[in-house]
Structure formats: C-alpha cells, structure tokens
Amino acid sequence: MSQTARIREIPYNYTSFSDREIVLRYLGQEAWDTLNALREERRTGISARMLFEVLGDLWVVRRNPYIQDDLLDSRKRRDNLIQAMHHRLDQIVERAGSNAQALALADSARRAVSEFEDWFPRMREQRDRASRAFRKFTRKDNIRFDGLSRVAHQTDATDWRVEVPFVVLTPDTEEEMAGLVKTAIELGLTVIPRGGGTGYTGGAIPMHEDCAVINTEKLEGLGRVEMTELPGVPRKVPTVRCEAGVVTRRVSDLAGMHGYVFAVDPTSQDASTIGGNVAMNAGGKKAVLWGTTLDNLVSWRMVTPDADWILVERLNHNLGKIHDQDEAVFRVHRFEADGKTPKAEPEIIRFPGASFRTVGLGKDVTDKFLNGLPGVQKEGCDGLITSATFVLHVMPQHKRTVCLEFYGQDLQEAVPAIVEIVDDLKNDQAVKLAGLEHLDERYVRAVKYTPKGARG
C-alpha cells in the first residue's frame, strides 16, 4: 500500500496540508519517494512512525504562533523538544543498520531539525531589529508579534490559511503609513494592506512568512458633510472625507443624518472599511443608480510601494456613473515620503468614460489595470489607500420597493424578465431604479421571506 493512499499519519496535522505536502516541505520530493519505496517493502514501519512524529513536532510549531511564542520565551522547553526529536532520529539510525535509504531519510530530517533549532534565535533577532525600525514611525504597541494578532491576520472572509505573517502593524494615524511601508520594504518584508477583513478574493492573505500586514482599522477619522466646490463642476456638491479604517456603515449613517445618501453600500458594510471599498471598487444595491465606489470618488490618498504619496482627484465629475461621461479626467499629484513635497508636476489622465465598464457586464473585476488609474480596484497591489473623499446624493422624494417572485428550476426564465424590466425602467424618465438585488433560494430561506404566490 503506497503512502499516497494513507491519510494524516503525521501527528497534529489538522490542517489543509496533506502528509505528502508536509514531507515535501521539510525533506523534499526524493525523500517522499524513498519513504514510499521503504513502506512498500514493509521494512521501516516503526522508523516511519518516529519520522512522522518528528515532522509532526516541526509542523505543529510552524503552524501555531502560540507555541512559537512559548518556545521563544522558554529556552528549557525548546531544548527539551529539540532533544526529543534528535533522540527519535538516533533510534531511526540504529534501526536502519546498513539501509542507505533509511539513513538518507534520517539525515534529511536531521537537517530539518537543525534549521528548526536555528529559527528561534534568528526570529528573536529579526523581531528585535524590526521593532526598533518600526518604532521610528509608530508606537511600540502598534507593532504586534504576538500569536493572537498574527493568527487573526492569517486569513480573511475566505478562511483560506496559507502562512502566518511575521508582524502585524496597526498605525494610529494616516501620516505613519509611508514610514511603515518604507521600513517593511527595507526589512525585506512583503506588505499586505488590510481593513475589515471582509474580502472574498484572498487579497489580504499572507502567502509566505516574511510579510507585514498593515491593518488600517485605527484610521477612523470621519469628516463632516460639507458643500464643496469640485473642479469642473458648476455648483457646490455635498461631500464627506473618510480615512481608510472607517466602517462603511458609519459613512452611510452620517450621510442619512444630513438628508443624503452614501452610494457605496456593499453587503459587508457593517464590517468593511473605506480603504477596502476603494481598493476593491465596491458596489452594492445602489450601484444601479449611482455606480460603484469609483463613480462616487472625489479624491483619494495612497502610499505607493516606494513609500511615496499619491493624491488622485477626479476632474469634471458628472456626479453619476463614470461610463455615462464621454471623457473621464483625473489629476494625479505625487509627493515625497513627507506627504507634502511635490515630486513632479501633476499628471493628467484622460480616458473615455465607457472604457471603465464592459458592455453588458458592468464592472469587470478582472481589469486590475483600469486604464492605469492608481489605487482603485487594485486590491492593494499598487499601494495602500489611506483616505478618500466621496460625493453624496439625494434620494428621490418617493420610493417604492418591489419584490418579484420567479418560479422555475433555474435562472433561464427569470434573467430575461429582469433584463427587460431594467431596460424598460431606463427608458422611463419619471422613474429611477435605485437598487436591484437577486435573492436565490438560500437567501430567501435566510431572511425568512414568506412567498406571496400560491406556489410557495
């Protein structure tokens, strides 16, 4: 029976990684092939079990930051664990006799244990060095190496778990961001921006250990609703400025208190944050009437991977969907790390408004370039959003909610009817379609909706 047919013989392996993947990670493909060959000969059952115990010890520490912290703090416990692993390997060598393949497996495992042992002093030194560097730009307690912080930032709403980040940074102010990004790059760390952690694309998930997650949730400055003169717009417009960590619902509530509507209302608005809304170009029910985040942005600030600042302003705003405008115009200001000293003259970016949408599709989530416009829909790939200013809208005086029930086995009957309804409303100047949502059978059950039709 080959090893590939066996499941979870490595102790403590309750992860999504198979035993094969763990052996490959620590010992390599050749060791996996050798192990299978020896198991088929039924010559190394006990030795294989002891080898798996060693790999289990290595793996559980690698995957559990709480145990890592405990071993970092206790040299005695660490030494006892390492001695136990070497003892098992000594037994494997004794049992191997002249079996060259078994001895080679033991040697590979010994190297893995030695690397494991070296990891602790190296990690302690890396943490000390990183802490000293980051403390030039933020408070000490904003630099988190503890197990709870690292585990909490290992995944997002996807619940995918690949690696645990090296450090989690929680800056207090927008001004700290550039210095933290610059320092992380100098330390050789990949930078991952994170807001409310509500994303379903995996954009906030660390893919390797050497990364710094910068959590923007403490950047929660929310300005007043103000009537503002916008470049190229003939009248003052209601706007609001928000920092990246502001929860979307707060902006919506503030707008409502002043008689306005905030158009960005994704389903996750009770937990998602403004930085993520911009980076993902979030939409929501009101996108039918006023478009997605991009359509409602007046300006936004961001830190580039070079730790410089960018301010992007939309000119000649049409206060509506960007694809309805013949030409979309943006002005890009670039600043040094201080956020004030200009690096060059502002750059003007012009594109046909229709180029921001795909005909018949709307927002194309696969278009990360978006005509070279910085920040929006990039999922943090070209920088970290730190704040943004939005236009607000006035809801029509009268509004009605209409619920249509479709009965059938699939969407083939419902979709043409929905499209026809939307097209008909577009042609009716007396009516504006403010929101549109399709609820499938699972959603209907979740909200405990009682059908009105006799068919149930």
Side-chain angles (χ1 to χ4, degrees), residues 125-182:
E125 191 278 329
Q126 288 176 344
R127 288 186 178 185
D128 290 343
R129 181 160 56 95
S131 181
R132 289 194 299 270
F134 286 126
R135 282 163 62 183
K136 297 176 182 177
F137 303 99
T138 192
R139 292 186 298 118
K140 180 179 180 180
D141 56 357
N142 290 337
I143 307 163
R144 311 305 300 268
F145 296 106
D146 62 285
L148 177 60
S149 297
R150 295 170 64 215
V151 168
H153 292 78
Q154 183 181 9
T155 188
D156 55 13
T158 63
D159 203 32
W160 297 337
R161 299 173 190 272
V162 182
E163 292 291 349
V164 180
F166 168 71
V167 64
V168 175
L169 304 171
T170 59
D172 292 311
T173 66
E174 186 177 4
E175 288 69 28
E176 297 173 22
M177 296 289 284
L180 295 178
V181 171
K182 183 175 185 294

Side-chain angles (χ1 to χ4, degrees), residues 59-69 147 150-151 164:
W59 185 243
V60 72
V61 176
R62 174 66 179 267
R63 301 298 291 180
N64 193 318
Y66 300 104
I67 300 178
Q68 292 175 10
D69 290 347
R150 295 170 64 215
V151 168
V164 180

